[in-house]
Amino acid sequence: MNLLETPIEYLKGVGPNRGDLLRKELNIHKYGDLIHLFPNRYIDRTRYFKINQLQNNNSEVQIIGKIIHIKTVEQKRGKRLVATFIDDTGEMELVWFQGHKWIRESLKLNEVYVIFGKVTQFGSTFNMAHPEMEVLAEHKASLRSAMQPVYPSTEKLANKGISNRVINKLMQQLFIETHVLFSETLPNYLLDELKLLSKKEALFNIHFPKNQDLLSKAQFRLKFEELFFIQLQLITKNLIRKHKIKGLPFKTIGENFTNFYNHHLPFDLTNAQKRVIKEIRNDLGSNAQMNRLLQGDVGSGKTIVALLCMLMAKDNGFQSCLMAPTEILATQHYIGLTELAKNLNINIQILTGSTKTKERKVIHEALENGSLDILIGTHALLEDKVVFKNLGLAIIDEQHRFGVEQRSKLWKKGSQDNEGATIPPHILVMTATPIPRTLAMSLYGDLDISVIDELPAGRKPIQTVHRYDSNRLKVWRFLKDEIAKGRQVYIVYPLIQESEKMDYKDLMDGYESISRDFPLPQYSISIVHGQMKPADKEEEMRRFAAGKTNIMVATTVIEVGVNVPNASVMVIESAERFGLSQLHQLRGRVGRGAEQSYCILMTGFKLSEDSKIRMETMVRTNDGFEISEVDLKLRGPGDIMGKQQSGVLNLQIADIVKDKEILQLARHKAIQLLKEDAAMEKPVHEALRKAFIEVSKKKNIWNYIS
């Protein structure tokens, strides 16, 4: 048996009770798990201080000296043990508040000790409470190195006496028992080319680094390895899918596509749109199932790309569906697509939670007999009753809002081949939330990615400004000028679940003061918030879209969905309470027409550092990708992906924000290796292949079907 598989309680110094705690608190089940418990930080113990060099700055220091006197001092509650500690430059006190008897017995007068701890000053005397102590001879002989690791811990472990020092001792014991067992996982040519430490050296130096240089090399090696194996998995998965998962071949570019492309395009496509359509056409024409992520900023023209793909499906005798996370968004897609396809002979329907039973029946029948070409909807598309005759293409909008099971249901609604097996539909995932490159490489590394990175011609960049509440009168004057030019305005208030009542009050107070400043009959105002009935919301939105009202006061319901080209100003109240990607999404609601549009971020004066960075970023750039990079730095990967997917990247040592360069290098090397030896069968890859199989068993990063 591999020694690293040994249950942790068998390690000398652990035993059943501690073993149980380590399992529950740190998920350490066996020797191998403990080896991979990496330190959070290190304390530099390369320096020894003299007593006359000490300063009252609360830092941790180590000193060599000896104890010349020990006494017990009475205090209000209990006693304290005080020892006088000297070196050749002066004296200080060591203090213990607990464990007197045991400590008193273990201390030897005039023995040379190395002490370590935080120093505080009382009057002219320095003291150190509960110091770590080691006899100098032992200190020199121990594995404990100059850079002292600090391991992750929990309150429970600390309370039960499993301190950092204990974990350090267990780690030493583990290395004594297993030091020869760390077999190399990476091929020699990679180690040479990248000048990487061996696996054995890296693991030793991450736990017991002799100096900063060796520590950095160990960290680089282990981070590279972790990211390299993730990339190997993602890319292998992509290759397997292309070879194994049959796709429905869309062989022809037929009448519907060419007719629309040549005669009914409402505007010239941008080069980016043309490039993306070409990429998708190549996928659909190959015999493999397409799995593509289409990223395009708000207003970049993803809908028209989606329609062209659906027309390709129709030309090849297949149905398509488009699934959106909310009813508002589904409705907007429906309106947009019906408008675009009005001159084509195509049957498009919408299915949401509020579709009437009678209409549902008609839709279900048309789907099953194949007379329905395109179905747009919300989660309602996933119901078992929804059966397609031959689903060839599924488009998912803003996919991070859908859970795993939901997507796999859609996957199973594909067509049957001659043997009766289900062929999954081609999948196109669309998002207007730009995903930073690093995150895309790790989370969607198995998807092919297309990016629409230019806006349609004639669109002017939105001007964004940040104003404090004290400038409100000026802002209102500006709104009146815009309305006088015939434009419309959004004023958005935050809505955060925990404080819904408070937010509702803010919204209503805001609405009342806006009504006073923009009185009838000269101005007319719409209001939309979460507590209204869907029908009332729709009506208010419709009035605004039709230009019957000048101002739309709303909570973030409008973040996705309403398309009003005539609206040219977006005012975001309490902008500091929004995340960057939300601010960017909201800003994208204006700037849909040819006129100059504006986004005004209103905040109070008191702003946290993060809020300041968010406001500056919004004012500085309109580029969604740049904004998403800043967002990733501020919030970290877990938050950006939302709850369903934050567990995807439980990395042990790498950090995809800070280690962006290492991630890119790892991906590059993984692609190179798989191009030359996809099955990792060459003798030089033997160790790598073994390790890859092991990692694939353990690390299931496929907890979502893309």
Side-chain angles (χ1 to χ4, degrees), residues 68-291:
I68 53 165
H69 178 64
I70 303 175
K71 64 182 177 186
T72 305
V73 179
E74 295 288 339
Q75 50 189 39
K76 265 186 196 163
R77 291 186 181 168
K79 309 168 178 176
R80 66 180 191 273
L81 189 63
V82 179
T84 307
F85 186 80
I86 64 162
D87 69 2
D88 52 5
T89 67
E91 68 173 57
M92 63 183 289
E93 289 186 340
L94 309 181
V95 187
W96 291 268
F97 299 99
Q98 286 136 353
H100 301 178
K101 186 171 177 295
W102 172 75
I103 288 163
R104 194 163 195 156
E105 282 167 11
S106 64
L107 293 177
K108 297 187 175 69
L109 295 180
N110 295 317
E111 171 93 68
V112 181
Y113 283 106
V114 177
I115 63 166
F116 176 78
K118 272 188 181 166
V119 176
T120 41
Q121 190 174 13
F122 283 102
S124 59
T125 314
F126 280 99
N127 72 27
M128 188 184 282
H130 290 264
E132 280 187 29
M133 301 185 68
E134 249 181 325
V135 175
L136 182 62
E138 277 178 22
H139 176 77
K140 284 182 173 164
S142 87
L143 261 178
R144 289 256 302 266
S145 59
M147 304 284 300
Q148 232 209 315
V150 178
Y151 290 96
S153 185
T154 65
E155 209 174 320
K156 208 167 193 178
L157 288 176
N159 291 343
K160 296 278 186 187
I162 303 184
S163 63
N164 195 57
R165 189 166 179 193
V166 168
I167 290 192
N168 209 302
K169 278 221 154 95
L170 295 178
M171 208 58 92
Q172 290 186 43
Q173 182 59 35
L174 187 62
F175 269 82
I176 291 164
E177 289 187 28
T178 61
H179 63 101
V180 287
L181 284 173
F182 306 122
S183 47
E184 188 49 70
T185 50
L186 297 175
N188 287 337
Y189 66 83
L190 253 188
L191 298 180
D192 296 345
E193 187 191 338
L194 300 176
K195 299 187 175 56
L196 298 176
L197 292 184
S198 71
K199 177 85 174 207
K200 197 162 132 187
E201 287 173 304
L203 284 170
F204 186 81
N205 282 294
I206 202 88
H207 293 294
F208 310 105
K210 282 277 175 278
N211 55 42
Q212 195 61 52
D213 181 49
L214 275 168
L215 173 62
S216 301
K217 285 182 172 155
Q219 286 171 325
F220 185 88
R221 149 77 209 226
L222 294 168
K223 286 175 174 184
F224 175 82
E225 179 178 359
E226 180 168 42
L227 295 167
F228 181 68
F229 275 105
I230 286 180
Q231 292 303 326
L232 278 181
Q233 277 186 299
L234 285 165
I235 298 157
T236 307
K237 180 167 177 249
N238 195 349
L239 292 171
I240 289 173
R241 185 171 50 223
K242 287 190 172 155
H243 292 300
K244 286 245 179 86
I245 300 187
K246 272 205 313 202
L248 305 156
F250 288 10
K251 292 293 184 213
T252 51
I253 292 297
E255 173 58 25
N256 289 290
F257 182 92
T258 41
N259 176 20
F260 180 75
Y261 195 89
N262 295 333
H263 306 297
H264 302 297
L265 275 181
F267 48 76
D268 289 339
L269 295 184
T270 60
N271 289 329
Q273 283 171 315
K274 287 178 186 162
R275 183 186 68 238
V276 167
I277 289 165
K278 205 169 177 180
E279 290 167 352
I280 293 171
R281 264 177 70 167
N282 291 341
D283 283 358
L284 296 175
S286 77
N287 283 327
Q289 182 214 15
M290 168 169 86
N291 244 8

Side-chain angles (χ1 to χ4, degrees), residues 634-643 646:
L634 291 177
R635 293 198 295 161
D639 283 347
I640 285 194
M641 292 321 299
K643 289 197 179 63
S646 55

Side-chain angles (χ1 to χ4, degrees), residues 1-9 11 14 18-39 151-152 167 170-171 174-175 178 182 199 203 206-207 222 226 651-653 694-695 697-699:
M1 176 177 157
N2 179 350
L3 199 55
L4 294 176
E5 295 291 316
T6 311
I8 195 67
E9 53 267 32
L11 183 68
V14 179
R18 277 184 169 177
D20 206 39
L21 270 171
L22 288 171
R23 263 195 294 278
K24 284 185 182 138
E25 296 296 299
L26 293 174
N27 207 11
I28 292 173
H29 296 265
K30 38 187 192 267
Y31 282 20
D33 298 333
L34 184 59
I35 287 283
H36 289 99
L37 177 72
F38 296 125
Y151 290 96
I167 290 192
L170 295 178
M171 208 58 92
L174 187 62
F175 269 82
T178 61
F182 306 122
K199 177 85 174 207
L203 284 170
I206 202 88
H207 293 294
L222 294 168
E226 180 168 42
L651 297 174
Q652 286 177 318
I653 190 167
E694 278 308 303
V695 170
K697 277 185 209 159
K698 272 196 251 129
K699 269 258 192 241

Side-chain angles (χ1 to χ4, degrees), residues 435-480:
I435 300 159
R437 283 217 42 184
T438 42
L439 208 53
M441 280 196 290
S442 327
L443 278 162
Y444 299 115
D446 61 316
L447 287 175
D448 298 306
I449 297 181
S450 290
V451 180
I452 304 183
D453 47 13
E454 57 183 307
L455 289 178
R459 291 264 171 100
K460 297 190 175 99
I462 300 163
Q463 282 186 19
T464 306
V465 293
H466 172 207
R467 295 287 179 259
Y468 294 105
D469 291 336
S470 52
N471 304 84
R472 193 170 291 280
L473 286 174
K474 272 189 177 160
V475 172
W476 272 192
R477 257 205 311 278
F478 173 71
L479 297 188
K480 287 179 175 167

Side-chain angles (χ1 to χ4, degrees), residues 420-442:
T422 302
I423 303 182
H426 293 291
I427 304 276
L428 181 66
V429 170
M430 300 200 301
T431 178
T433 313
I435 300 159
R437 283 217 42 184
T438 42
L439 208 53
M441 280 196 290
S442 327

